[in-house]
Amino acid sequence: MRSAVNDLLGAYDKLIMDPVHGGIPLYRHEIEVIDHPLFQRLRNICQNDILSLVFPGATHSRFLHSIGVMHVGTRMFRAMIDAYLRERKLSEQTDLSLSQLDAIDYLAKIIRLGCLLHDSGHSSFSHQFTQARRIRDLMSRPERFRDLWEGVDYTIYHDEEPEELEHEHYSVRVAHEVLSSIDLQSAGLAARNVIGIMETTNVQPSEAFCRHARTFWGFIAGEEAASGALINDNIPRLVMDLLSSIVSGEIDADRADYMLRDGFHSSVTIGGFNLDHLLSNLRFGWDVHEPWLGLAITQKGLGALEDFVYSRHQMYRKVYAHKTALGFDWLLREAINEVLEDAENFEWVDTCLSNMDWFAELTDNFFWEAFRKVARKNQRSFSFCIVNRVKLKHLDTREDLSPKGINRHCAWLAQELSLDPDTVVTCSMRARFSKIQENFNGIKVLTRDPINRTRSLRRITDVSAFFSKFGDGTITHFYARPEVTTQAPEPLRE
């Protein structure tokens, strides 16, 4: 029985080699997605902006990360299917129905594409790009969203027009463009169902998705499915939410891959949780009365989940919030602002952010060349600092300061170190763990009564005190601003 499922889900057309996960199989329609110029651009976008200036090995790209997320998402789904079949002992029955096999295969392919395209809208230097002041101004320009979707009905994916665009909105736009250009129909899939499990969207799934979702719900909940008060029309939404949680949730394929990948390329072992152990203890959780369908973890697997959360916490503290790394992030944002003082650069980035025909040109390479051009003209520029790895002078580090507290500490440092107050700059990173402490909505603990063999779902904080130790935290580093002079910007042309 399980071999039939494995055969169905395991047929592939190509194998791509990955330094973290090994061989990753690809379907034909996934190869078409990967070969699209809008996806190939991810080869030239670094996963961790300019972290390689601190951890030299961290030069890996969004391209390989996205493929890795697809692989981990597939493993998560298949691990839960395998565990379900094993624990329900369905292998003792004659066979799964063709409709059940078809539904499992269909949902697995939706997950794979959703994972593959989840980060496709990232621009140059990933998250740091949208944090640069002049980029934020561009992203919040009125009519930007409509320009981006000109000639396309965006209401299929979005209920309303966002006030300010984030990279998730661009991922949706890129996904639509890519999926519309390939032969997705031959794979039996529809773009709206894939994009529907991505962030910022609210999609009415296709009839095919609804049919497979109802089959899957009956397969998972079994005899209990008929005893609940769940309206038939609500089932597709439950299943879509389940798939979304695999792409983006508290325990998702994205976090699992970037923690392993960033740790591997940074040669930092604190992100090296045991993925196999975690996946072997993931289960489908469902409640026909609530109703609820989501991820669950066995009680014996809590240790693996604790390792996952702790590793993520430590990666934030020791790698992403490293004092030198955040200092270079500050310089990077200022260098981007500096480059956009040039009218030609400004107009080009503005065009790329509004038109999918040119969006593929917006990569790290464009800005590196622009940085070098500025650095050659002005050795006292932010661009020169980035190109030549001239780091900020670190003055101090504080945690969990309020905005007023940060300002007070800046003034105190300037006074104590005899600095001009305007030369003290800060860079902060906020690590969000509050969902874990509150109720961990995306995942529950599956417990079993060994006597009457009943199952129950409990809140994670009711079972383990470990997660109550985590909350949101902010690390703020204080630096001395470099002595920088900027060239007079060229006037904007009519």
Side-chain angles (χ1 to χ4, degrees), residues 157-177:
Y157 311 120
H158 299 287
D159 290 335
E160 58 185 8
E161 191 175 326
E163 294 182 2
E164 188 171 345
L165 296 183
E166 303 289 348
H167 76 268
E168 290 89 352
H169 296 108
Y170 279 89
S171 292
V172 172
R173 182 65 183 90
V174 169
H176 172 83
E177 193 75 13

Side-chain angles (χ1 to χ4, degrees), residues 364-377:
D364 294 0
N365 295 345
F366 169 80
F367 279 97
W368 276 114
E369 289 305 312
F371 294 157
R372 292 186 182 99
K373 182 178 179 180
V374 173
R376 285 194 296 269
K377 293 181 178 180

Side-chain angles (χ1 to χ4, degrees), residues 201-256:
T201 62
N202 187 13
V203 170
Q204 183 64 38
S206 69
E207 180 52 41
F209 184 95
C210 294
R211 182 178 70 254
H212 289 306
R214 294 184 186 109
T215 299
F216 183 74
W217 172 254
F219 166 68
I220 292 298
E223 295 178 357
E224 296 181 48
S227 65
L230 182 61
I231 299 174
N232 203 39
D233 292 341
N234 293 341
I235 293 174
R237 183 74 263 166
L238 280 182
V239 175
M240 188 159 276
D241 288 345
L242 168 69
L243 305 191
S244 297
S245 69
I246 293 175
V247 178
S248 179
E250 278 304 310
I251 299 180
D252 58 21
D254 180 32
R255 286 189 176 120

Side-chain angles (χ1 to χ4, degrees), residues 21 53 59 130 169 176 209 211 213 229 242 257 292 321 324 339 342 353 357 383 405 408 431:
H21 301 296
L53 294 183
T59 58
T130 54
H169 296 108
H176 172 83
F209 184 95
R211 182 178 70 254
L242 168 69
D257 181 80
W292 179 80
T324 308
V339 162
D342 179 274
L353 288 173
D357 291 338
S383 295
R408 285 195 299 267

Side-chain angles (χ1 to χ4, degrees), residues 81-292:
I81 291 288
D82 286 346
Y84 180 91
L85 294 175
R86 183 174 62 252
E87 293 174 359
R88 284 295 181 109
K89 299 182 179 179
L90 292 184
S91 57
E92 297 176 1
Q93 300 178 10
T94 55
D95 206 345
L96 291 179
S97 68
L98 289 177
S99 63
Q100 289 173 331
L101 287 170
D102 197 25
I104 292 170
D105 180 59
Y106 180 88
L107 297 180
K109 288 178 178 176
I110 292 289
I111 290 170
R112 286 174 65 85
L113 282 179
C115 288
L116 186 62
L117 291 164
H118 82 289
D119 266 353
S120 56
H122 265 296
S123 295
S124 310
F125 303 113
S126 298
H127 293 285
Q128 294 305 316
F129 179 79
T130 54
Q131 293 185 34
R133 172 181 48 80
R134 293 180 69 87
I135 295 297
R136 283 252 61 93
D137 292 342
L138 281 172
M139 298 280 274
S140 58
R141 176 177 65 79
E143 305 300 323
R144 170 79 64 192
F145 184 77
R146 292 187 182 181
D147 289 346
L148 192 62
W149 286 94
E150 185 178 5
V152 183
D153 182 12
Y154 66 81
T155 60
I156 300 171
Y157 311 120
H158 299 287
D159 290 335
E160 58 185 8
E161 191 175 326
E163 294 182 2
E164 188 171 345
L165 296 183
E166 303 289 348
H167 76 268
E168 290 89 352
H169 296 108
Y170 279 89
S171 292
V172 172
R173 182 65 183 90
V174 169
H176 172 83
E177 193 75 13
V178 172
L179 295 177
S180 298
S181 69
I182 69 170
D183 185 15
L184 198 59
Q185 189 173 3
S186 65
L189 303 174
R192 68 165 58 198
N193 301 326
V194 175
I195 296 174
I197 67 172
M198 295 170 63
E199 291 185 275
T200 75
T201 62
N202 187 13
V203 170
Q204 183 64 38
S206 69
E207 180 52 41
F209 184 95
C210 294
R211 182 178 70 254
H212 289 306
R214 294 184 186 109
T215 299
F216 183 74
W217 172 254
F219 166 68
I220 292 298
E223 295 178 357
E224 296 181 48
S227 65
L230 182 61
I231 299 174
N232 203 39
D233 292 341
N234 293 341
I235 293 174
R237 183 74 263 166
L238 280 182
V239 175
M240 188 159 276
D241 288 345
L242 168 69
L243 305 191
S244 297
S245 69
I246 293 175
V247 178
S248 179
E250 278 304 310
I251 299 180
D252 58 21
D254 180 32
R255 286 189 176 120
D257 181 80
Y258 79 61
M259 284 169 56
L260 290 175
R261 192 171 301 278
D262 294 352
F264 173 83
H265 287 284
S266 302
S267 298
V268 176
T269 58
I270 54 178
F273 66 97
N274 191 321
L275 180 61
D276 292 335
H277 189 202
L278 180 64
L279 295 185
S280 69
N281 286 284
L282 280 182
R283 300 291 187 272
F284 294 115
W286 72 92
D287 187 331
V288 297
H289 303 290
E290 189 174 342
W292 179 80

Side-chain angles (χ1 to χ4, degrees), residues 250 255 259 308-316 432:
E250 278 304 310
R255 286 189 176 120
M259 284 169 56
F308 178 85
V309 173
Y310 182 71
S311 294
R312 180 179 156 217
H313 180 262
Q314 287 294 85
M315 284 292 288
Y316 271 100
R432 292 179 172 87

